Amino acid sequence: MTEPAADLLRRDADAARADLEDRFSGLLQFGTAGLRGALGGGPHRMNRAVVIRAASGLADYLLGELEGATPAPRVVVGYDARHNSHRFALDTAAVMTAVGIEVLLLPRPLPTPVLASAVLRFDADAGVMVTASHNPPRDNGYKVYLGGRIVTDAGQGAQIVPPADTAIAAEIARVPSVASVPRAPSGWTTLGEDVVEEYARTAAAVAPGGDADARARLKVVLTPLHGVGGALTKDVLAKAGFGDVTLVAEQAEPDPDFPTVAFPNPEEPGATDLAIALAASLRADLVVAVDPDADRCAVAVLDPRAHVPARGPETPQADGWRMLTGDEVGALLGSDAAARVRAEGAAPGATPTLACSIVSSRLLAAVAADAGLRFASTLTGFKWIARVDELVFGYEEALGYCVDPAHVRDKDGISAAVRVCDLAARLAADGRTLIDALDDLARAHGLHATGQVSARYADLSRIGATMATLREAPPSELAGSPVVEVVDLAAGTDDDRGGLPPTDGLRLLTADGTRVVVRPSGTEPKVKAYLEVIVPVASDADRAALDAAHHRARGRLDHLAHDVRVALGIDVP
């Protein structure tokens, strides 16, 4: 979907001039997220010329790293159903085949986890996934994985990290012109459906055994938000024994225009309204939403504490349903993973590890300690989480979960959905729910409540200025508690959760355990603040005591959010 020149000409002159200046402001930069940007003409947009140049640079990087080695580098290429994804995948295959690289092309538009699993299955030296995940319809992207002979440690099959991103970017910059890049008319291998079937088999097997009757009784509403995950997620759930799964009809088929959602991100308000309304009408047990490339998973449940009025006449029975946060799902799946390790036992000398990003809740660390497991905190992004040694489960608060690192060294919304449904079915067999399981975690470790505040800037220079101001004069008090620790993450860390390499950010801790992590967004013109408060809960707390703890947590989070907005210079009502 490239904007026609006529549409550009019809714009206001100043807006059109600004758009043209941005399109030609330089090359779209290749980094640890690969490429991602709006479709359109110009070197600062996603288009065939930019993709051909990127594919050529990546090919040169692989050939250089494996110079003299045989056989030739092997690359798996996948794509979703966004505008131009298939074309970009074919261009990548043509460029790499022309220089002698073996290319395996996925058979059709498929979720990102299928590509990530194929990189490991075929022992590929690299993988390319053409997707913009949950970005708006106007965007597309180019995600790169490394493995095979390029990466041989715990990062095998994971997304790129420094210095590989810099080295690939340098090769892209050396491409003299798009016209100079050779492209083969054919010669790559298009994989068969067996690659999808193998992924489905392993994804369904992440929760072996289980009560077949309880799984059959679990009533699930599923939405892929117009992405490529609908049919495959439903098939995987069926293979795992969850047969009562209803797709949201309006969002079931891939549609690159995402017509029923303003923003195809399950975190965004309104994105799951149709699914929740359907769940309420069907009296379902839970809602599962996967984002458009199905690498993230969101869950909604009926919560007796949630009495949020429906948004409009289209959701008349949605009162009481709410989306679980990424931290809540991460804690549930992490606790379940720890229980599995305890039940199955660890191999002699092994140190099974739970991991999450530095901006995610500290609850997973408490779960790991209680289970006698190692815990690792990483920089933001699954490119870092996936590299943790002996990982058995990892997550980040932005709805990403890795439940099967042996087969997918990345976040995977489909296998996560299987684990969530398995946990919900086991609880339901005992007359309990996911909310009850969260209450158990609160009794064991205190109620960890998280939230977020963000400041968006039109002037990108204000991002650096905001971070500089915070470093020079951090707040002395947050939510009524004195700040007792300020850690500049730009210097790296070396604490009891393991050292972290330098990253642009600040971590603030108050006397009552409240924590705030502030960092610039890696994908948007924002500064984000990740908030967490912990409210003590007695080990024998009843429902009334838990309700009171939630009320206190909401109040403290509101107070904290106000203070953080002041610190970030955001207008406060």
Side-chain angles (χ1 to χ4, degrees):
M1 183 179 70
T2 301
E3 182 182 33
D7 290 346
L8 188 62
L9 291 172
R10 280 193 290 269
R11 286 188 182 183
D12 171 83
D14 290 339
R17 186 177 298 108
D19 189 312
L20 285 169
E21 287 175 355
D22 185 63
R23 289 168 184 256
F24 292 90
S25 60
L27 277 175
L28 193 62
Q29 290 301 300
F30 186 93
T32 53
L35 294 170
R36 191 172 292 188
L39 292 158
H44 202 233
R45 293 288 186 271
M46 280 294 296
N47 51 57
R48 292 185 67 191
V50 167
V51 167
I52 289 168
R53 185 183 289 272
S56 180
L58 176 58
D60 289 343
Y61 167 80
L62 295 173
L63 292 170
E65 289 291 305
L66 297 175
E67 185 175 3
T70 55
R74 173 181 289 169
V75 177
V76 186
V77 178
Y79 56 100
D80 66 8
R82 282 180 176 266
H83 292 290
N84 289 347
S85 285
H86 188 207
R87 181 67 263 172
F88 293 162
L90 291 175
D91 284 334
T92 299
V95 168
M96 293 190 170
T97 300
V99 294
I101 292 174
E102 180 188 7
V103 176
L104 307 178
L105 182 69
L106 292 189
R108 54 185 170 85
L110 287 163
T112 293
V114 178
L115 181 279
S117 70
V119 173
L120 291 176
R121 179 186 174 191
F122 293 105
D123 195 24
D125 299 300
V128 172
M129 183 68 194
V130 183
T131 179
S133 190
H134 53 276
N135 275 37
R138 65 178 181 273
D139 289 358
N140 212 327
Y142 198 82
K143 186 183 295 187
V144 176
Y145 297 75
L146 293 177
R149 293 162 292 176
I150 303 291
V151 178
T152 57
D153 58 12
Q156 175 76 218
Q159 296 176 51
I160 56 171
V161 295
D165 57 340
T166 303
I168 295 169
E171 294 294 348
I172 294 171
R174 277 193 278 270
V175 176
S177 68
V178 174
S180 71
V181 177
R183 283 178 280 160
S186 60
W188 54 87
T189 299
T190 300
L191 296 168
E193 285 297 313
D194 60 306
V195 69
V196 187
E197 293 163 5
E198 177 62 16
Y199 167 80
R201 183 189 67 78
T202 58
V206 299
D211 184 332
D213 289 338
R215 292 187 178 194
R217 287 193 301 269
L218 192 76
K219 188 182 291 288
V220 180
V221 166
L222 169 67
T223 176
L225 296 177
H226 301 292
V228 292
L232 184 55
T233 304
K234 186 174 183 181
D235 177 54
V236 169
L237 287 171
K239 281 180 166 60
F242 301 100
D244 193 349
V245 178
T246 303
L247 275 164
V248 176
E250 300 93 330
Q251 299 172 333
E253 296 301 320
D255 187 331
D257 293 321
F258 306 104
T260 70
V261 290
F263 201 99
N265 180 349
E267 288 183 297
E268 291 292 318
T272 56
D273 279 1
L274 288 173
I276 288 174
L278 180 59
S281 67
L282 295 176
R283 299 185 181 276
D285 296 294
L286 75 161
V287 168
V288 171
V290 291
D291 71 336
D293 69 328
D295 66 348
R296 303 199 305 164
C297 174
V299 179
V301 295
L302 193 61
D303 183 350
R305 297 188 186 95
H307 297 291
V308 181
R311 285 190 174 89
E314 74 281 3
T315 56
Q317 303 174 61
D319 186 32
W321 281 84
R322 75 170 179 92
M323 302 300 298
L324 297 181
T325 68
D327 284 317
E328 288 175 318
V329 176
L332 288 169
L333 292 178
S335 179
D336 186 53
R340 290 173 186 275
V341 172
R342 286 196 301 268
E344 298 168 5
T351 55
T353 302
L354 307 182
C356 66
S357 64
I358 194 173
V359 300
S360 300
S361 172
R362 290 164 288 175
L363 180 52
L364 188 65
V367 168
D370 187 54
L373 303 181
R374 177 174 169 261
F375 171 77
S377 180
T378 76
L379 296 183
T380 304
F382 256 86
K383 56 186 176 284
W384 299 108
I385 295 169
R387 284 176 157 72
V388 171
D389 286 330
E390 300 188 81
L391 181 71
V392 294
F393 171 74
Y395 93 95
E396 62 181 0
E397 49 74 41
L399 308 181
Y401 316 98
C402 177
V403 302
D404 188 18
H407 294 101
V408 178
R409 206 74 183 180
D410 197 9
K411 56 186 179 292
D412 180 352
I414 299 175
S415 58
V418 174
R419 280 278 178 92
V420 167
C421 290
D422 173 62
L423 178 57
R426 284 186 278 127
L427 289 164
D430 294 331
R432 306 178 76 236
T433 69
L434 295 177
I435 296 300
D436 294 319
L438 286 170
D439 286 347
D440 289 344
L441 288 171
R443 292 184 184 100
H445 308 292
L447 176 59
H448 291 60
T450 58
Q452 219 183 100
V453 167
S454 62
R456 179 181 288 272
Y457 300 100
D459 180 359
L460 297 184
S461 67
R462 290 190 60 198
I463 294 176
T466 298
M467 295 302 299
T469 298
L470 281 174
R471 286 187 170 94
E472 293 166 5
S476 59
E477 184 178 280
L478 289 168
S481 182
V483 173
V484 296
E485 180 183 77
V486 179
V487 177
D488 188 346
L489 301 176
T493 68
D494 185 17
D495 55 27
D496 58 357
R497 297 189 184 185
L500 292 173
T503 187
D504 189 6
L506 286 177
R507 185 176 67 201
L508 299 90
L509 189 68
T510 72
D512 67 1
T514 294
R515 187 196 68 178
V516 175
V517 179
V518 184
R519 60 181 286 272
S521 170
T523 56
E524 299 175 278
K526 290 181 177 180
V527 171
K528 290 186 174 182
Y530 301 83
L531 322 178
E532 182 174 37
V533 301
I534 304 175
V535 175
V537 175
S539 60
D540 60 349
D542 60 12
R543 176 54 60 87
L546 283 161
D547 289 350
H550 278 271
H551 180 74
R552 289 196 300 274
R554 283 194 297 271
R556 285 177 55 187
L557 269 181
D558 288 345
H559 189 177
L560 181 60
H562 175 277
D563 289 354
V564 170
R565 288 190 182 96
V566 171
L568 293 178
I570 303 173
D571 290 337
V572 178

